[in-house]
Amino acid sequence: MLRVTGLTSQFRGRAGVVRAIDDVTFEVPAGEAVGIVGETGSGKSVTIRSVLGLLPSYGKVVGGSAEFEGTDLVKLHRNRLREIRGARIGFVAQNPFGSLNPVLSIEKQFRNVMRAHRKISRTDLRDLAIERLESVQVRGPERVLRGFAHELSGGMAQRVVIALAMLHDPSLVIADEPTTALDVTVQRQILDLIDTQVKQGGRSLLLVTHDLGVVAQYCHRVVVMKSGKVVETGLVADVFTNPSHDYTRQLLAAVPPAPWAQAVPSLSGQEV
Ligand SMILES: Nc1ncnc2c1ncn2[C@@H]1O[C@H](COP(=O)(O)OP(=O)(O)OP(=O)(O)O)[C@@H](O)[C@H]1O
Ligand SMILES: [Mg+2]
């Protein structure tokens, strides 16, 4: 589905050129969920932004490839990449209010996302938007469509972002810490929602998170990053029960025992 090979990116700054990620290699197999974990500044977001062509103007992919459905995204023209990003890859960022446009109604945003890839009548679009909002458990979808982002809670706004990301039935969903900006009480709901949307659509998932419990619960594979490099990658069950790298061991040791034991059935002997 997605094969990232030797991906290397850098930023140009006052202090010169800084390499943010170096020789990053991993795969997201079709129908599987892959988690990227690592401490702050380890290069998780830069990896995702490099794949999606979303680095700022002073950032650049200087090596490697990101093959998605047979196309190297790194070599694609911006416009073509934007098309793929909207249609084949759904992106959910950390802050829903950064993803939504504050001055356009939610309905208008559905229309814009739809129109970029497919022609559809206003009433059909409306029906589809309502159906999709219902599928992400947004109550009162008609009212939400008429309204604006600032009228929504963080959790509701992220549901809208997820509905928009799924509008074109993407085969891959990429989410960068999709819940860290949200109230703790809704974090699990949003993760469950992404998980459901991914599974129901037979999609693949690339999920960035700080939380190893989240990886254990939602992902098949894990990519562990440190200082811009991948230090370990493999099946969650293998890596978590038998980490080969010291850094992974440290990350695992830092996880509080209770949720951890709950999240990994093999360690607790209990069903999740
Ligand atoms: N816009 C930017 N300009 C300059 N350097 C950046 C920029 N974004 C990231 N970096 C640098 O690239 C490296 C990787 O950062 P990145 O944002 O990918 O970390 P991260 O793993 O996502 O961290 P966090 O968990 O805090 O989100 C860091 O050294 C960071 O300082
Ligand atoms: Mg980040």
Side-chain angles (χ1 to χ4, degrees), residues 237-260:
D238 294 341
V239 172
F240 282 18
T241 51
N242 192 15
S244 67
H245 199 281
D246 258 352
Y247 176 67
T248 312
R249 244 168 259 139
Q250 286 164 27
L251 283 180
L252 288 168
V255 176
W260 170 240

Side-chain angles (χ1 to χ4, degrees), residues 44-268:
K44 305 181 297 293
S45 296
V46 172
T47 297
I48 276 180
R49 292 190 169 270
S50 300
V51 168
L52 293 171
L54 292 173
L55 288 177
S57 57
Y58 53 92
K60 194 169 188 272
V61 177
V62 293
S65 59
E67 242 182 77
F68 170 70
E69 294 182 337
T71 307
D72 183 3
L73 301 180
V74 170
K75 292 207 178 69
L76 275 190
H77 186 266
R78 274 186 166 277
N79 295 343
R80 182 79 188 94
L81 189 54
R82 195 177 302 131
E83 269 173 43
I84 289 187
R85 206 160 58 219
R88 306 298 306 142
I89 303 178
F91 179 49
V92 181
Q94 185 168 347
N95 178 3
F97 297 108
S99 306
L100 296 170
N101 188 323
V103 299
L104 299 180
S105 73
I106 302 298
E107 181 168 356
K108 177 77 179 157
Q109 297 185 59
F110 268 94
R111 217 180 298 143
N112 287 348
V113 170
M114 192 43 126
R115 210 183 262 152
H117 304 280
R118 186 145 68 91
K119 292 226 179 318
I120 181 171
S121 77
R122 236 165 222 261
T123 41
D124 284 352
L125 185 268
R126 222 158 171 271
D127 291 346
L128 181 66
I130 289 170
E131 179 198 313
R132 292 307 177 94
L133 286 176
E134 276 167 353
S135 83
V136 296
Q137 285 116 47
V138 167
R139 259 177 262 141
E142 291 90 351
R143 187 176 37 84
V144 168
L145 281 177
R146 280 193 301 273
F148 293 83
H150 71 263
E151 295 164 314
L152 302 170
S153 67
M156 276 301 145
Q158 195 65 304
R159 285 170 197 274
V160 171
V161 169
I162 292 167
L164 285 166
M166 304 294 166
L167 199 56
H168 295 284
D169 287 324
S171 54
L172 173 66
V173 175
I174 298 185
D176 188 356
E177 311 244 20
T179 63
T180 38
L182 307 178
D183 197 291
V184 233
T185 56
V186 301
Q187 289 187 356
R188 285 284 156 169
Q189 294 170 19
I190 294 296
L191 287 167
D192 283 345
L193 181 62
I194 291 174
D195 185 55
T196 307
Q197 294 280 330
V198 163
K199 283 187 181 141
Q200 280 177 355
R203 310 177 216 281
S204 307
L205 174 67
L206 181 57
L207 173 69
V208 169
T209 174
H210 271 100
D211 191 335
L212 290 169
V214 166
V215 172
Q217 188 174 348
Y218 297 99
C219 299
H220 303 95
R221 290 165 192 274
V222 62
V223 176
V224 183
M225 289 192 73
K226 182 183 196 296
S227 311
K229 293 184 195 278
V230 173
V231 295
E232 184 156 1
T233 174
L235 291 171
V236 167
D238 294 341
V239 172
F240 282 18
T241 51
N242 192 15
S244 67
H245 199 281
D246 258 352
Y247 176 67
T248 312
R249 244 168 259 139
Q250 286 164 27
L251 283 180
L252 288 168
V255 176
W260 170 240
Q262 262 179 14
V264 183
S266 62
L267 292 186
S268 66

